[in-house]
Amino acid sequence: MSVLSGKKIVLGVSGGIAAYKTAHLVRLFIKAGAQVQVIMTPASKDFVTPLTLATLSKNPVHSSFYHEDDDNAQWNNHVEIALWADLMIIAPATANTLSKMVNGNCDNLLIATYLSAKCPVYFAPAMDLDMYKHPSTIASFKALNQFGNTIIPAESGELASGLSGEGRMAEPENIIAFLEADLESKLPLKGKKILITAGPTFEAIDPVRFIGNHSSGKMGFDIAECASKYGAEVILISGPSYLNVKDSAISLIRIVSAQEMYDACHKYYNDSDVVICAAAIADYKPKYVAEQKIKKSEENFSIELEKTKDVLASLGQIKTKQYLIGFALETQNEIENAKLKIQKKNLDLIVLNSLQDEGAGFGKPTNKVTFIDSANTIQTMDLKSKEAVAEDIINKIIEHYHA
């Protein structure tokens, strides 16, 4: 999944021949999963039509503050557009537009939106080679860099003048690659390896029957998606679940039993920076597993159970660098029991669920959790979607590494 997926992008198009490339650029943004709004300078419409970019972006294209030929026209709110954006890319950025960006010469909607933007701004210069090397252009590059804007360097090649050299706007594929690489390098969990467990375990009684629980695995899957979105390398170990990962960068390992969960966790534990144990692992399993299906013959039937290996406790015992997060599902004395679990299992953070809270628990799209850390700091959260709870958990990890 591209890091651009879900991003809201404002594409500013200024009046240079390279504007024809923006049709393909918009297509690539949409293909990457981004939402796109296009703002064109009046001059850029001589090179590519607003209809083309509106069709490809699936949004109206704006090029003026209001439509002069419409007596009932509404104002195109540049502040609203700027605040909507996660990213702003100006491509092509002509020498004229660059100069206006530097000096705040706000005579069109594009510059007004740029001056209102609070998001990261990228610009892809496009001009003839002498213009590209001119001291005024170089000064514009330096000034924009000081403003916090990022240049997508021009490429060398055949120019509209017939000359060949530097100044050609980066190809759309290269703009996408540049943005993805730059955004990925700035993700707060880039370089971190996170191991996550999810779902139930099934403990066999015979070849047909098992002991299990109602966990769907959704909480763990949502945490995995969120961790990957923030740049982490994610290994997700899941018990039986109907869910699948949306992000192909996540390594999904499917297991069935508590013993298989134990073995998989220990296999990947040493190389992990963060471990989040969200799985509902069986505490007990049948001591003896029948080789054939047990027939319904006796009026009463009993199964001798034995304890499974405590995965979380075993990881806490060998913890070195890992930031270890556990889950606790309690029905009484919730806080006290969670605090004891932190000590016994050598955890850094515990995520407490209570079945007393309406909307929380297995098989539901929402969750209500309380965070308790190893210093016994307690933070009770509101009822939220499991996706939002996943964000809260990942933010705790980000705070740990960026405190």
Side-chain angles (χ1 to χ4, degrees):
M1 181 184 294
S2 171
V3 72
L4 295 173
S5 179
K7 296 293 186 187
K8 298 174 182 177
I9 296 175
V10 168
L11 174 62
V13 183
S14 61
I17 184 63
Y20 81 90
K21 296 181 181 181
T22 57
H24 187 38
L25 180 59
V26 170
R27 283 188 68 93
L28 292 177
F29 280 138
I30 298 298
K31 186 177 180 180
Q35 300 178 53
V36 183
Q37 287 198 62
V38 179
I39 300 175
M40 303 179 71
T41 64
S44 69
K45 292 188 286 185
D46 293 332
F47 302 97
V48 62
T49 68
L51 178 60
T52 298
L53 299 182
T55 301
L56 295 172
S57 68
K58 302 178 178 64
N59 279 312
V61 168
H62 305 299
S63 61
S64 60
F65 290 98
Y66 65 95
H67 300 290
E68 296 179 358
D69 56 352
D70 184 354
D71 292 337
N72 298 312
Q74 291 185 337
W75 174 45
N76 290 322
N77 190 334
H78 59 280
V79 175
E80 185 178 296
I81 297 171
L83 294 180
W84 173 85
D86 296 315
L87 302 170
M88 185 173 188
I89 294 93
I90 300 175
T94 61
N96 184 43
T97 292
L98 291 171
S99 178
K100 290 179 179 181
M101 291 166 65
V102 170
N103 295 293
N105 184 3
C106 187
D107 67 349
N108 62 47
L109 182 63
L110 174 54
I111 299 300
T113 305
Y114 162 73
L115 293 173
S116 301
K118 298 185 182 297
C119 63
V121 176
Y122 297 81
F123 61 97
M127 61 199 75
D128 209 69
L129 60 93
D130 292 323
M131 297 171 68
Y132 192 74
K133 294 295 186 181
H134 195 276
S136 64
T137 304
I138 294 172
S140 292
F141 293 162
K142 290 180 180 178
L144 291 172
N145 180 64
Q146 290 173 351
F147 293 166
N149 302 161
T150 303
I151 186 172
I152 302 174
E155 300 174 356
S156 294
E158 185 178 350
L159 304 169
S161 64
L163 300 174
S164 183
E166 195 173 15
R168 182 187 179 98
M169 188 182 90
E171 293 301 314
E173 291 85 356
N174 296 338
I175 291 176
I176 296 292
F178 182 97
L179 291 170
E180 289 178 334
D182 191 64
L183 291 172
E184 286 173 359
S185 71
K186 296 172 182 175
L187 291 173
L189 294 179
K190 183 70 175 177
K192 299 298 181 186
K193 295 183 178 180
I194 299 185
L195 176 65
I196 300 167
T197 68
T201 61
F202 289 173
E203 309 304 323
I205 297 171
D206 61 23
V208 177
R209 303 176 182 90
F210 60 85
I211 297 172
N213 58 62
H214 295 297
S215 174
S216 66
K218 179 170 171 51
M219 189 72 257
F221 274 73
D222 287 341
I223 296 169
E225 297 283 350
C226 186
S228 183
K229 180 180 73 173
Y230 283 104
E233 179 184 335
V234 178
I235 295 175
L236 175 61
I237 304 173
S238 174
S241 173
Y242 67 90
L243 297 172
N244 213 326
V245 292
K246 301 172 186 175
D247 188 342
S248 60
I250 297 171
S251 297
L252 175 59
I253 299 168
R254 294 196 182 273
I255 57 87
V256 175
S257 68
Q259 182 62 50
E260 290 175 347
M261 179 71 80
Y262 180 96
D263 293 340
C265 285
H266 280 266
K267 179 178 179 180
Y268 297 103
Y269 185 67
N270 286 339
D271 292 332
S272 299
D273 299 295
V274 179
V275 180
I276 306 171
C277 292
I281 303 172
D283 295 320
Y284 292 89
K285 65 179 181 178
K287 188 171 184 178
Y288 304 104
V289 179
E291 294 183 1
Q292 304 295 328
K293 179 184 175 183
I294 299 171
K295 297 294 184 180
K296 185 172 65 175
S297 56
E298 302 295 331
E299 189 68 28
N300 296 305
F301 177 70
S302 62
I303 302 173
E304 185 177 359
L305 301 177
E306 63 180 358
K307 276 190 174 183
T308 58
K309 292 179 180 178
D310 191 324
V311 175
L312 188 55
S314 70
L315 298 178
Q317 288 175 355
I318 60 173
K319 183 174 72 173
T320 53
K321 63 176 182 176
Q322 292 84 1
Y323 187 69
L324 185 57
I325 301 175
F327 275 65
L329 178 63
E330 302 290 345
T331 58
Q332 57 185 350
N333 299 323
E334 292 96 341
I335 299 295
E336 292 78 4
N337 287 334
K339 286 181 178 179
L340 286 173
K341 194 170 185 178
I342 291 174
Q343 296 174 358
K344 288 181 179 179
K345 303 193 178 184
N346 193 22
L347 307 181
D348 296 288
L349 181 72
I350 200 161
V351 183
L352 171 63
N353 296 268
S354 172
L355 286 181
Q356 307 297 332
D357 293 321
E358 187 176 351
F362 292 142
K364 296 179 180 177
T366 56
N367 208 351
K368 187 176 186 298
V369 304
T370 297
F371 292 113
I372 308 175
D373 64 20
S374 56
N376 286 333
T377 303
I378 300 173
Q379 183 181 9
T380 301
M381 311 301 288
D382 295 329
L383 181 70
K384 300 181 179 182
S385 69
K386 286 185 175 178
E387 292 87 350
V389 174
E391 287 273 353
D392 290 338
I393 293 169
I394 296 303
N395 282 333
K396 287 289 183 183
I397 297 169
I398 293 171
E399 288 172 13
H400 170 72
Y401 284 108
H402 296 274

